[in-house]
Amino acid sequence: MSTSLAGLEYTATSLSSSLPALADKTLTDQVFNLPSGRTLGYATYGSPTGPALFYFHGLPGSRIEGVELHPAAVNLGIRVIAVDRPGLGLSSYVPNRLVADWAADVDQLARHLDLKTYRVIGRSGRGAYALACANALPRERLLGVGVVCGMGPWSLGTPGMLWYGRVLWNISAWMPSLMGRLIGLMVADAAQDLDPTKLMKRLVQNSGGYTGQDKAFIVRESWRQGNDGPAEEIQLVTAPWGFELRDVGYKGVRFWYGGEDSTTPAERGWRMSERLREAVMEVWEGDSHVTVLANRME
């Protein structure tokens, strides 16, 4: 049994327990038309009637990444809504946007889905989007905010990162257009090539239990529209968010990090949690950047 996305086959030998969630295009390829005329692409996993959890995928990534949460979401009775950010997957590209702008899109989608209450979780460099929701959305509707291995604001520095991570993010901070071009050279051509094996060869073969094929299936969707969206996503990691952590009034944001994570070290989580009200920080020793969700899903 297999399904396909943008020319890449995804077979029953990879994440077989989650395959049914990917095979149903009415769930994975949903589109909401915002009042502005833009589109938001999203996918739903887990229980269709359970409490709602918005999942903000990592980078590179897409709504398809939410399939990682599907088995646990089914077991826990949670409805996971994974959303493509602007310029990725099925969501319209928006030039010159801020991280802070994301909260309004989530609010509109939640209203479209008739959600009275919901929670949000952001992964890796996109934990910022979960914090944007904490900053702007009403507490009576937003019941929980989580950040998994979040990057945090650029102003927090790069303590604990490997040298090449520091180099790349400094390029992004000081020469963002160059960073966009580098990402294009590193991934874009392979992601859009008709031969999907070219992308598989460029990706890490072990990403939290995923094979190269699994990861390629997810990443390929990021470049569906070209390189502009992914390039801007990279640049936003080190750009001002449009709000300051100290101004976030939401209490009880939760942070989860792997003790062996050198991509987004736990020190970044500690620094963010210290700037928020009653934040909770948890470090899982032995886990890395790619194993936290795989090993601690529930």
Side-chain angles (χ1 to χ4, degrees):
M1 180 180 180
S2 68
T3 185
S4 63
L5 180 71
L8 182 66
E9 290 295 316
Y10 192 95
T11 68
T13 61
S14 55
L15 284 180
S16 58
S17 63
S18 300
L19 184 62
L22 287 174
D24 189 347
K25 295 294 186 179
T26 65
L27 298 179
T28 62
D29 289 5
Q30 301 181 73
V31 175
F32 167 53
N33 295 311
L34 291 158
S36 65
R38 291 191 291 114
T39 61
L40 278 183
Y42 67 99
T44 55
Y45 305 101
S47 170
T49 59
L53 171 68
F54 282 102
Y55 175 72
F56 305 148
H57 60 77
L59 180 67
S62 66
R63 69 192 182 283
I64 306 301
E65 185 182 299
V67 74
E68 291 183 64
L69 280 65
H70 179 70
V74 169
N75 291 337
L76 297 172
I78 295 172
R79 179 186 185 187
V80 174
I81 305 160
V83 193
D84 287 329
R85 288 186 296 277
L88 308 181
L90 300 174
S91 293
S92 301
Y93 175 64
V94 180
N96 303 315
R97 61 187 173 91
L98 296 172
V99 168
D101 299 335
W102 182 242
D105 286 353
V106 173
D107 180 61
Q108 291 287 345
L109 180 56
R111 293 177 188 276
H112 167 69
L113 297 173
D114 197 27
L115 301 177
K116 306 303 180 186
T117 59
Y118 49 87
R119 294 168 173 82
V120 303
I121 188 169
R123 183 179 187 178
S124 190
R126 313 343 282 158
Y129 291 95
L131 295 174
C133 291
N135 179 61
L137 299 181
R139 182 63 191 256
E140 61 269 19
R141 300 189 67 203
L142 182 59
L143 302 185
V145 177
V147 175
V148 179
C149 303
M151 176 74 171
W154 181 242
S155 60
L156 297 184
T158 57
M161 281 189 184
L162 295 176
W163 69 267
Y164 59 80
R166 297 186 183 198
V167 170
L168 287 175
W169 293 125
N170 270 285
I171 292 174
S172 178
W174 299 105
M175 294 176 285
S177 60
L178 175 59
M179 186 63 175
R181 289 195 292 272
L182 286 175
I183 290 298
L185 291 172
M186 292 165 62
V187 183
D189 60 333
Q192 295 183 295
D193 196 286
L194 293 177
D195 178 5
T197 62
K198 291 185 178 180
L199 178 61
M200 291 167 59
K201 293 175 181 177
R202 293 196 189 180
L203 297 174
V204 177
Q205 294 300 305
N206 183 12
S207 296
Y210 278 12
T211 65
Q213 180 177 349
D214 294 325
K215 189 63 177 176
F217 183 78
I218 293 169
V219 172
R220 195 169 174 85
E221 183 68 356
S222 298
W223 271 268
R224 175 189 282 254
Q225 301 177 52
N227 194 53
D228 288 347
E232 184 161 51
E233 272 283 287
I234 287 286
Q235 293 164 18
L236 283 171
V237 171
T238 54
W241 289 0
F243 65 95
E244 299 292 335
L245 286 176
R246 63 175 179 272
D247 297 328
V248 176
Y250 195 97
K251 296 180 181 179
V253 174
R254 300 184 68 88
F255 293 87
W256 298 284
Y257 284 76
E260 305 304 315
D261 190 346
S262 57
T263 302
T264 54
E267 178 61 26
R268 302 192 68 80
W270 286 115
R271 293 189 180 194
M272 283 191 283
S273 65
E274 291 168 355
R275 289 162 170 78
L276 296 169
R277 303 182 186 184
E278 301 177 22
V280 178
M281 174 73 180
E282 187 170 359
V283 179
W284 288 314
E285 297 301 334
D287 277 314
S288 68
H289 190 74
V290 297
T291 65
V292 168
L293 274 183
N295 294 343
R296 313 287 180 170
M297 198 73 73
E298 297 187 17

